[in-house]
Coordinates of all heavy atoms in Angstrom, one line a residue:
M1009 N -56.9 -21.3 87.1 CA -55.9 -21.0 86.1 C -55.7 -19.5 85.9 O -54.5 -19.1 85.8 CB -56.3 -21.6 84.7 CG -55.3 -21.4 83.6 SD -53.8 -22.3 84.0 CE -53.2 -22.5 82.4
A1010 N -56.7 -18.7 85.8 CA -56.6 -17.3 85.7 C -55.9 -16.7 86.9 O -55.1 -15.8 86.7 CB -58.0 -16.6 85.5
R1011 N -56.2 -17.2 88.1 CA -55.5 -16.6 89.3 C -54.0 -16.9 89.2 O -53.2 -16.1 89.6 CB -56.2 -17.3 90.5 CG -55.5 -16.7 91.8 CD -56.1 -17.3 93.0 NE -57.5 -16.9 93.1 CZ -58.4 -17.4 94.0 NH1 -58.0 -18.2 94.9 NH2 -59.6 -17.0 94.0
K1012 N -53.6 -18.1 88.8 CA -52.2 -18.5 88.7 C -51.5 -17.6 87.7 O -50.4 -17.1 87.9 CB -52.1 -20.0 88.3 CG -50.7 -20.4 88.2 CD -50.6 -21.9 87.8 CE -49.1 -22.3 87.7 NZ -49.0 -23.7 87.3
L1013 N -52.1 -17.4 86.5 CA -51.5 -16.5 85.5 C -51.4 -15.1 86.0 O -50.4 -14.4 85.8 CB -52.4 -16.5 84.2 CG -52.3 -17.8 83.4 CD1 -53.3 -17.7 82.2 CD2 -50.9 -18.1 82.9
R1014 N -52.4 -14.6 86.7 CA -52.4 -13.2 87.3 C -51.2 -13.1 88.3 O -50.5 -12.2 88.3 CB -53.7 -12.9 87.9 CG -53.8 -11.5 88.4 CD -55.2 -11.0 88.9 NE -55.9 -12.0 89.6 CZ -57.0 -12.6 89.1 NH1 -57.5 -12.3 87.9 NH2 -57.7 -13.4 89.9
H1015 N -51.1 -14.2 89.2 CA -50.0 -14.2 90.1 C -48.6 -14.2 89.5 O -47.7 -13.5 89.9 CB -50.2 -15.4 91.0 CG -49.1 -15.6 92.1 ND1 -48.9 -14.7 93.1 CD2 -48.0 -16.4 92.1 CE1 -47.9 -15.0 93.8 NE2 -47.3 -16.1 93.2
Q1016 N -48.5 -15.0 88.4 CA -47.2 -15.0 87.7 C -46.9 -13.6 87.0 O -45.8 -13.2 87.0 CB -47.2 -16.1 86.6 CG -47.2 -17.5 87.1 CD -47.4 -18.5 86.1 OE1 -47.8 -18.3 84.9 NE2 -47.1 -19.8 86.4
G1017 N -48.0 -13.0 86.5 CA -47.8 -11.7 85.9 C -47.4 -10.7 87.0 O -46.5 -9.8 86.7
I1018 N -48.0 -10.7 88.1 CA -47.6 -9.8 89.2 C -46.2 -10.1 89.7 O -45.4 -9.1 89.9 CB -48.6 -9.9 90.4 CG1 -50.0 -9.4 90.0 CG2 -48.1 -9.2 91.6 CD1 -51.1 -9.6 91.0
A1019 N -45.8 -11.3 89.7 CA -44.4 -11.7 90.1 C -43.4 -11.1 89.1 O -42.4 -10.6 89.5 CB -44.3 -13.2 90.3
R1020 N -43.7 -11.2 87.8 CA -42.8 -10.7 86.8 C -42.7 -9.2 86.9 O -41.6 -8.6 86.8 CB -43.3 -11.1 85.4 CG -43.1 -12.5 85.1 CD -43.5 -12.8 83.7 NE -43.4 -14.2 83.5 CZ -44.2 -14.9 82.7 NH1 -45.1 -14.3 82.0 NH2 -44.0 -16.2 82.5
V1021 N -43.8 -8.5 87.1 CA -43.8 -7.0 87.3 C -43.0 -6.7 88.5 O -42.1 -5.7 88.4 CB -45.2 -6.5 87.4 CG1 -45.2 -5.0 87.8 CG2 -46.0 -6.6 86.0
N1022 N -43.2 -7.4 89.6 CA -42.4 -7.1 90.8 C -40.9 -7.3 90.6 O -40.1 -6.5 91.0 CB -42.9 -7.9 92.0 CG -44.2 -7.5 92.5 OD1 -44.6 -6.3 92.3 ND2 -44.9 -8.4 93.1
A1023 N -40.5 -8.3 89.8 CA -39.1 -8.6 89.5 C -38.5 -7.4 88.6 O -37.4 -7.0 88.9 CB -39.0 -9.9 88.8
V1024 N -39.3 -7.0 87.6 CA -38.8 -5.9 86.8 C -38.7 -4.6 87.6 O -37.7 -3.9 87.5 CB -39.8 -5.6 85.6 CG1 -39.5 -4.4 84.9 CG2 -39.8 -6.8 84.7
V1025 N -39.6 -4.3 88.5 CA -39.5 -3.1 89.4 C -38.3 -3.2 90.3 O -37.6 -2.2 90.4 CB -40.8 -3.0 90.2 CG1 -40.7 -1.9 91.3 CG2 -42.0 -2.6 89.3
A1026 N -38.0 -4.4 90.8 CA -36.9 -4.6 91.7 C -35.6 -4.3 90.9 O -34.7 -3.6 91.4 CB -36.9 -6.0 92.3
V1027 N -35.5 -4.8 89.7 CA -34.3 -4.6 88.9 C -34.1 -3.1 88.6 O -33.1 -2.5 88.7 CB -34.3 -5.4 87.6 CG1 -33.2 -5.0 86.6 CG2 -34.2 -6.9 87.9
Y1028 N -35.2 -2.5 88.2 CA -35.2 -1.0 87.9 C -34.8 -0.2 89.1 O -33.9 0.7 89.0 CB -36.6 -0.6 87.4 CG -36.6 0.9 87.0 CD1 -36.0 1.3 85.8 CD2 -37.2 1.8 87.8 CE1 -36.0 2.6 85.5 CE2 -37.2 3.2 87.5 CZ -36.6 3.6 86.3 OH -36.6 4.9 86.0
E1029 N -35.3 -0.6 90.2 CA -34.9 0.2 91.5 C -33.5 0.0 91.8 O -32.8 0.9 92.2 CB -35.8 -0.3 92.6 CG -37.2 0.3 92.5 CD -38.2 -0.3 93.6 OE1 -37.8 -1.2 94.3 OE2 -39.3 0.2 93.6
Q1030 N -32.9 -1.2 91.5 CA -31.5 -1.5 91.8 C -30.7 -0.7 90.8 O -29.6 -0.1 91.2 CB -31.2 -3.0 91.6 CG -29.8 -3.3 91.9 CD -29.5 -4.8 91.8 OE1 -30.4 -5.6 91.4 NE2 -28.4 -5.2 92.3
L1031 N -31.1 -0.6 89.5 CA -30.3 0.3 88.6 C -30.3 1.7 89.0 O -29.3 2.4 88.9 CB -31.0 0.1 87.2 CG -30.8 -1.2 86.5 CD1 -31.7 -1.3 85.3 CD2 -29.3 -1.5 86.1
R1032 N -31.5 2.2 89.4 CA -31.6 3.6 89.9 C -30.7 3.9 91.1 O -30.1 4.9 91.2 CB -33.0 4.0 90.2 CG -34.0 3.9 89.0 CD -33.6 4.8 87.8 NE -33.4 6.2 88.2 CZ -32.6 7.0 87.6 NH1 -31.9 6.7 86.6 NH2 -32.5 8.3 88.0
R1033 N -30.6 2.9 92.0 CA -29.7 3.1 93.2 C -28.3 3.2 92.8 O -27.5 3.9 93.4 CB -29.9 1.9 94.1 CG -31.1 2.0 95.1 CD -30.9 1.0 96.2 NE -30.8 -0.4 95.8 CZ -31.8 -1.2 95.5 NH1 -33.1 -0.7 95.5 NH2 -31.6 -2.4 95.2
H1034 N -27.9 2.6 91.7 CA -26.6 2.7 91.2 C -26.4 3.8 90.1 O -25.4 3.8 89.4 CB -26.1 1.3 90.6 CG -26.0 0.3 91.7 ND1 -24.9 0.2 92.5 CD2 -26.8 -0.7 92.0 CE1 -25.0 -0.8 93.3 NE2 -26.2 -1.4 93.1
E1035 N -27.4 4.6 90.0 CA -27.4 5.7 89.1 C -27.3 5.3 87.6 O -26.6 6.0 86.9 CB -26.4 6.8 89.5 CG -26.6 7.3 90.9 CD -25.6 8.3 91.4 OE1 -24.6 8.6 90.6 OE2 -25.7 8.8 92.5
V1036 N -27.9 4.2 87.3 CA -27.9 3.8 85.9 C -29.2 4.2 85.2 O -30.2 4.0 85.7 CB -27.8 2.2 85.8 CG1 -27.9 1.7 84.4 CG2 -26.5 1.7 86.5
N1037 N -29.0 4.9 84.1 CA -30.1 5.4 83.3 C -30.5 4.3 82.3 O -29.6 3.6 81.7 CB -29.8 6.7 82.5 CG -29.5 7.8 83.5 OD1 -30.4 8.2 84.3 ND2 -28.4 8.4 83.4
V1038 N -31.8 4.1 82.1 CA -32.3 3.2 81.1 C -32.9 4.0 80.0 O -33.9 4.8 80.2 CB -33.3 2.2 81.7 CG1 -33.8 1.2 80.6 CG2 -32.7 1.4 82.8
V1039 N -32.4 3.9 78.7 CA -32.9 4.6 77.6 C -33.4 3.7 76.6 O -32.7 2.8 76.1 CB -31.8 5.5 77.0 CG1 -32.2 6.3 75.8 CG2 -31.2 6.4 78.1
H1040 N -34.7 3.8 76.2 CA -35.3 2.9 75.2 C -35.3 3.6 73.9 O -35.0 4.8 73.7 CB -36.7 2.5 75.7 CG -37.6 3.7 75.9 ND1 -38.3 4.3 74.8 CD2 -37.9 4.4 77.0 CE1 -39.0 5.3 75.3 NE2 -38.8 5.4 76.6
L1041 N -35.6 2.8 72.8 CA -35.6 3.3 71.4 C -36.4 4.6 71.2 O -36.0 5.5 70.5 CB -36.1 2.2 70.5 CG -35.1 1.2 70.0 CD1 -35.8 0.1 69.3 CD2 -34.0 1.8 69.2
G1042 N -37.5 4.8 71.9 CA -38.4 6.0 71.7 C -38.0 7.1 72.6 O -38.6 8.2 72.4
H1043 N -37.0 6.9 73.4 CA -36.6 8.0 74.4 C -35.9 9.1 73.6 O -35.1 8.9 72.7 CB -35.7 7.4 75.4 CG -35.4 8.2 76.6 ND1 -34.6 9.3 76.6 CD2 -35.9 8.2 77.9 CE1 -34.6 9.9 77.8 NE2 -35.4 9.2 78.6
P1044 N -36.2 10.4 74.0 CA -35.5 11.5 73.3 C -34.0 11.5 73.4 O -33.3 12.1 72.6 CB -36.1 12.7 74.0 CG -37.1 12.3 75.0 CD -37.1 10.8 75.0
A1045 N -33.4 10.8 74.4 CA -32.0 10.8 74.6 C -31.3 9.7 73.8 O -30.1 9.6 73.8 CB -31.6 10.7 76.1
Y1046 N -32.1 8.8 73.2 CA -31.5 7.7 72.4 C -30.7 8.3 71.3 O -31.2 9.1 70.5 CB -32.6 6.7 71.9 CG -32.1 5.4 71.4 CD1 -32.1 4.3 72.3 CD2 -31.5 5.2 70.2 CE1 -31.7 3.1 71.9 CE2 -31.0 4.0 69.8 CZ -31.1 2.9 70.6 OH -30.6 1.7 70.3
P1047 N -29.4 7.9 71.2 CA -28.5 8.5 70.2 C -29.0 8.2 68.8 O -29.1 7.0 68.3 CB -27.2 7.8 70.4 CG -27.3 7.2 71.8 CD -28.7 6.9 72.0
P1048 N -29.3 9.2 68.0 CA -29.8 9.0 66.6 C -28.8 8.3 65.7 O -29.1 7.6 64.8 CB -30.1 10.4 66.1 CG -29.5 11.4 67.1 CD -29.3 10.6 68.4
L1049 N -27.5 8.5 66.0 CA -26.4 7.9 65.2 C -26.5 6.4 65.4 O -26.2 5.6 64.4 CB -25.1 8.5 65.6 CG -23.9 8.1 64.7 CD1 -24.2 8.5 63.2 CD2 -22.6 8.7 65.2
V1050 N -26.7 5.9 66.6 CA -26.8 4.5 66.8 C -28.0 3.9 66.0 O -27.8 2.9 65.3 CB -27.1 4.2 68.3 CG1 -27.4 2.7 68.6 CG2 -25.8 4.6 69.1
L1051 N -29.1 4.6 66.0 CA -30.3 4.1 65.3 C -30.0 4.2 63.8 O -30.3 3.2 63.0 CB -31.5 4.9 65.6 CG -32.8 4.4 65.2 CD1 -33.1 3.0 65.6 CD2 -33.9 5.3 65.7
A1052 N -29.3 5.2 63.3 CA -29.0 5.4 61.9 C -28.1 4.3 61.4 O -28.3 3.8 60.3 CB -28.5 6.8 61.6
R1053 N -27.1 4.0 62.2 CA -26.1 3.0 61.7 C -26.5 1.6 61.9 O -26.2 0.7 61.1 CB -24.8 3.2 62.5 CG -24.1 4.5 62.1 CD -22.6 4.4 62.5 NE -22.0 5.6 62.0 CZ -20.7 5.9 62.3 NH1 -20.0 5.2 63.1 NH2 -20.2 7.0 61.8
L1054 N -27.3 1.3 62.9 CA -27.7 -0.1 63.2 C -29.1 -0.4 62.7 O -29.4 -1.6 62.6 CB -27.5 -0.4 64.7 CG -26.1 -0.3 65.2 CD1 -26.1 -0.6 66.7 CD2 -25.2 -1.2 64.4
G1055 N -29.9 0.6 62.5 CA -31.3 0.4 62.0 C -32.1 -0.6 62.9 O -32.1 -0.4 64.1
E1056 N -32.6 -1.6 62.3 CA -33.4 -2.6 63.1 C -32.6 -3.4 64.1 O -33.2 -4.0 65.0 CB -34.2 -3.5 62.1 CG -35.3 -2.8 61.4 CD -36.1 -3.7 60.5 OE1 -35.9 -5.0 60.6 OE2 -36.9 -3.2 59.7
E1057 N -31.3 -3.4 63.9 CA -30.4 -4.1 64.9 C -30.0 -3.3 66.0 O -29.2 -3.7 66.9 CB -29.2 -4.7 64.1 CG -29.6 -5.7 63.1 CD -28.4 -6.3 62.4 OE1 -27.3 -6.3 63.0 OE2 -28.6 -6.9 61.3
A1058 N -30.5 -2.0 66.1 CA -30.1 -1.2 67.3 C -30.7 -1.8 68.5 O -31.8 -2.3 68.5 CB -30.7 0.2 67.0
P1059 N -29.9 -1.7 69.6 CA -30.4 -2.3 70.9 C -31.7 -1.6 71.4 O -31.7 -0.3 71.3 CB -29.2 -2.1 71.8 CG -28.3 -1.2 71.2 CD -28.6 -1.1 69.8
P1060 N -32.7 -2.3 71.8 CA -33.9 -1.6 72.3 C -33.7 -0.9 73.6 O -34.4 0.1 73.9 CB -34.9 -2.8 72.5 CG -34.0 -4.0 72.6 CD -32.8 -3.7 71.9
L1061 N -32.7 -1.2 74.4 CA -32.4 -0.5 75.6 C -30.9 -0.2 75.7 O -30.1 -1.0 75.3 CB -32.8 -1.4 76.8 CG -34.2 -1.7 77.0 CD1 -34.4 -2.7 78.2 CD2 -35.1 -0.5 77.3
L1062 N -30.6 0.9 76.2 CA -29.2 1.3 76.5 C -29.2 1.6 78.0 O -30.1 2.2 78.6 CB -28.8 2.6 75.8 CG -28.8 2.5 74.2 CD1 -28.5 3.8 73.6 CD2 -27.8 1.4 73.7
F1063 N -28.1 1.2 78.6 CA -27.9 1.5 80.1 C -26.6 2.3 80.2 O -25.6 2.0 79.6 CB -27.7 0.1 80.8 CG -28.8 -0.8 80.7 CD1 -28.9 -1.7 79.6 CD2 -29.9 -0.8 81.6 CE1 -30.0 -2.6 79.5 CE2 -30.9 -1.6 81.5 CZ -31.0 -2.5 80.5
C1064 N -26.7 3.4 80.9 CA -25.6 4.3 81.0 C -25.6 5.0 82.4 O -26.6 5.3 83.0 CB -25.5 5.3 79.9 SG -26.9 6.5 79.9
R1065 N -24.4 5.3 82.9 CA -24.2 5.9 84.1 C -23.9 7.4 83.9 O -23.8 8.1 84.9 CB -23.1 5.2 85.0 CG -23.6 3.8 85.4 CD -22.7 3.3 86.4 NE -22.8 4.1 87.6 CZ -21.9 3.9 88.6 NH1 -21.0 3.0 88.6 NH2 -22.0 4.6 89.7
E1066 N -23.6 7.8 82.8 CA -23.3 9.2 82.5 C -24.6 10.0 82.4 O -25.6 9.5 82.1 CB -22.5 9.3 81.1 CG -21.2 8.6 81.2 CD -20.2 9.2 82.1 OE1 -20.2 10.5 82.3 OE2 -19.4 8.5 82.7
P1067 N -24.5 11.3 82.5 CA -25.6 12.2 82.2 C -26.2 11.9 80.8 O -25.4 11.7 79.9 CB -25.1 13.6 82.3 CG -23.9 13.5 83.2 CD -23.3 12.1 82.8
L1068 N -27.5 11.9 80.6 CA -28.1 11.6 79.3 C -27.6 12.5 78.2 O -27.6 12.2 77.1 CB -29.6 11.6 79.5 CG -30.2 10.5 80.3 CD1 -31.7 10.5 80.4 CD2 -29.7 9.1 79.9
E1069 N -27.3 13.7 78.6 CA -26.8 14.7 77.6 C -25.6 14.2 76.8 O -25.4 14.5 75.6 CB -26.5 16.1 78.2 CG -27.7 16.7 78.9 CD -28.0 16.2 80.2 OE1 -27.1 15.7 80.9 OE2 -29.2 16.2 80.6
R1070 N -24.8 13.4 77.4 CA -23.6 12.9 76.8 C -23.9 11.9 75.7 O -23.1 11.6 74.8 CB -22.7 12.2 77.8 CG -22.1 13.3 78.7 CD -20.9 12.7 79.4 NE -20.4 13.7 80.3 CZ -19.5 13.5 81.3 NH1 -19.0 12.3 81.4 NH2 -19.1 14.5 82.0
L1071 N -25.1 11.3 75.7 CA -25.5 10.4 74.6 C -25.6 11.1 73.2 O -25.6 10.5 72.2 CB -26.8 9.7 74.9 CG -26.7 8.7 76.1 CD1 -28.1 8.2 76.3 CD2 -25.8 7.6 75.7
K1072 N -25.7 12.5 73.3 CA -25.9 13.2 72.0 C -24.5 13.7 71.5 O -24.5 14.2 70.4 CB -26.7 14.5 72.3 CG -28.2 14.1 72.7 CD -29.0 15.3 73.0 CE -30.4 14.8 73.4 NZ -31.3 15.9 73.8
V1073 N -23.5 13.4 72.2 CA -22.1 13.8 71.8 C -21.5 12.6 71.1 O -21.5 11.5 71.6 CB -21.3 14.3 73.0 CG1 -19.9 14.6 72.5 CG2 -21.9 15.4 73.7
R1074 N -20.8 12.9 69.9 CA -20.1 11.8 69.3 C -19.0 11.3 70.1 O -18.2 12.1 70.7 CB -19.6 12.3 67.9 CG -19.0 11.2 67.1 CD -18.5 11.8 65.8 NE -17.7 10.8 65.1 CZ -18.1 10.2 64.0 NH1 -19.2 10.6 63.4 NH2 -17.3 9.3 63.4
G1075 N -18.9 10.1 70.3 CA -17.8 9.5 71.2 C -17.6 8.0 71.0 O -18.1 7.5 70.0
V1076 N -17.0 7.4 71.9 CA -16.7 6.0 71.8 C -17.5 5.3 72.9 O -17.6 5.8 74.0 CB -15.2 5.8 72.1 CG1 -14.9 4.3 72.1 CG2 -14.3 6.5 71.0
V1077 N -18.0 4.2 72.6 CA -18.7 3.3 73.5 C -18.1 2.0 73.5 O -17.8 1.4 72.4 CB -20.2 3.2 73.1 CG1 -20.9 2.3 74.0 CG2 -20.9 4.6 73.1
V1078 N -17.9 1.4 74.6 CA -17.3 0.1 74.7 C -18.4 -0.8 75.3 O -18.9 -0.6 76.3 CB -16.1 0.1 75.6 CG1 -15.6 -1.4 75.8 CG2 -15.0 1.0 75.1
V1079 N -18.7 -1.8 74.5 CA -19.7 -2.8 74.9 C -19.1 -4.2 74.9 O -18.5 -4.6 73.9 CB -21.0 -2.7 73.9 CG1 -22.0 -3.7 74.3 CG2 -21.5 -1.3 73.9
G1080 N -19.4 -4.9 75.9 CA -18.9 -6.3 76.0 C -19.9 -7.3 75.5 O -21.1 -7.1 75.8
A1081 N -19.4 -8.3 74.9 CA -20.3 -9.4 74.4 C -19.6 -10.7 74.6 O -18.5 -10.8 74.1 CB -20.8 -9.2 73.0
R1082 N -20.2 -11.6 75.2 CA -19.5 -12.9 75.4 C -19.5 -13.7 74.2 O -18.5 -14.4 73.9 CB -20.2 -13.7 76.5 CG -20.1 -13.1 77.9 CD -20.7 -14.0 78.9 NE -20.4 -13.5 80.2 CZ -21.4 -12.9 81.0 NH1 -22.6 -12.8 80.5 NH2 -21.1 -12.5 82.2
H1083 N -20.5 -13.6 73.4 CA -20.6 -14.4 72.2 C -21.0 -13.5 71.0 O -22.1 -13.7 70.4 CB -21.6 -15.5 72.4 CG -21.4 -16.4 73.6 ND1 -20.3 -17.3 73.6 CD2 -22.0 -16.4 74.8 CE1 -20.3 -17.8 74.8 NE2 -21.3 -17.4 75.5
A1084 N -20.2 -12.6 70.6 CA -20.5 -11.7 69.5 C -20.5 -12.5 68.2 O -19.7 -13.3 67.9 CB -19.4 -10.6 69.4
G1085 N -21.6 -12.2 67.4 CA -21.7 -12.9 66.1 C -20.9 -12.2 65.1 O -20.3 -11.1 65.3
E1086 N -20.8 -12.9 63.9 CA -20.0 -12.3 62.8 C -20.4 -11.0 62.4 O -19.6 -10.1 62.1 CB -20.0 -13.3 61.6 CG -19.2 -14.6 61.9 CD -17.8 -14.4 62.2 OE1 -17.1 -13.6 61.5 OE2 -17.3 -15.1 63.1
R1087 N -21.8 -10.8 62.3 CA -22.3 -9.5 61.9 C -21.9 -8.4 62.9 O -21.5 -7.3 62.5 CB -23.8 -9.6 61.8 CG -24.6 -8.2 61.6 CD -24.7 -7.8 60.2 NE -25.6 -6.7 60.1 CZ -25.2 -5.5 59.8 NH1 -23.9 -5.3 59.5 NH2 -26.0 -4.5 59.7
A1088 N -22.0 -8.7 64.2 CA -21.7 -7.7 65.2 C -20.2 -7.3 65.1 O -19.8 -6.1 65.2 CB -22.0 -8.2 66.6
L1089 N -19.3 -8.3 64.9 CA -17.9 -8.0 64.8 C -17.6 -7.2 63.5 O -16.8 -6.3 63.6 CB -17.1 -9.4 64.8 CG -17.2 -10.2 66.1 CD1 -16.5 -11.5 65.8 CD2 -16.5 -9.4 67.2
A1090 N -18.3 -7.5 62.4 CA -18.1 -6.8 61.2 C -18.5 -5.3 61.4 O -17.8 -4.4 60.9 CB -18.8 -7.4 60.0
V1091 N -19.7 -5.1 62.0 CA -20.1 -3.7 62.2 C -19.2 -2.9 63.1 O -18.8 -1.8 62.8 CB -21.6 -3.7 62.8 CG1 -21.9 -2.3 63.3 CG2 -22.6 -4.2 61.8
A1092 N -18.7 -3.6 64.2 CA -17.7 -2.9 65.1 C -16.5 -2.6 64.3 O -15.9 -1.5 64.5 CB -17.4 -3.9 66.3
E1093 N -16.0 -3.5 63.5 CA -14.7 -3.2 62.8 C -14.9 -2.1 61.8 O -14.0 -1.3 61.6 CB -14.3 -4.5 62.1 CG -12.8 -4.4 61.7 CD -12.3 -5.8 61.4 OE1 -12.4 -6.7 62.2 OE2 -11.8 -6.0 60.2
Q1094 N -16.1 -2.1 61.1 CA -16.4 -1.1 60.1 C -16.4 0.3 60.7 O -16.0 1.2 60.1 CB -17.7 -1.4 59.4 CG -18.2 -0.4 58.4 CD -19.6 -0.7 57.9 OE1 -20.2 -1.7 58.3 NE2 -20.1 0.1 57.1
H1095 N -16.9 0.4 61.9 CA -17.1 1.8 62.5 C -16.0 2.2 63.5 O -16.1 3.2 64.0 CB -18.5 1.8 63.2 CG -19.6 1.6 62.2 ND1 -19.9 2.6 61.3 CD2 -20.5 0.6 62.0 CE1 -21.0 2.2 60.6 NE2 -21.3 1.0 61.0
L1096 N -15.1 1.3 63.6 CA -14.0 1.6 64.5 C -13.0 2.6 63.8 O -12.5 2.2 62.7 CB -13.2 0.4 65.0 CG -12.0 0.5 65.9 CD1 -12.5 1.1 67.2 CD2 -11.3 -0.8 66.1
D1097 N -12.8 3.7 64.4 CA -11.8 4.7 63.8 C -10.5 4.5 64.5 O -10.4 4.8 65.7 CB -12.3 6.1 64.0 CG -13.6 6.4 63.2 OD1 -13.7 5.8 62.1 OD2 -14.4 7.2 63.7
P1098 N -9.5 4.0 63.8 CA -8.2 3.9 64.4 C -7.6 5.3 64.7 O -7.9 6.3 64.0 CB -7.3 3.1 63.4 CG -8.0 3.3 62.1 CD -9.5 3.6 62.4
Y1099 N -6.7 5.4 65.7 CA -6.1 6.7 66.0 C -5.3 7.2 64.8 O -4.5 6.7 64.2 CB -5.1 6.5 67.2 CG -5.8 6.2 68.5 CD1 -6.6 5.1 68.7 CD2 -5.6 7.1 69.5 CE1 -7.3 4.9 69.9 CE2 -6.2 6.9 70.7 CZ -7.0 5.8 70.9 OH -7.6 5.5 72.1

């Protein structure tokens, strides 16, 4: 049993490493909540609902600049839609 669990754990780690390497090949940065480049405004506005990971292809310095982010969601909940609408600045 322990050997099977260890094998499953190694397989999961290998799968995560493969995905990470694929992201890096496509120049996608992965920024976690504790990362210095994580936008403080996102954390301030969303609090505990802030995404634990952000994926971006831009230089990380751009995460510190106020701007617009477009995120797609197939099944956005009512809370997510309300937050998006509340923070959307019309032209």
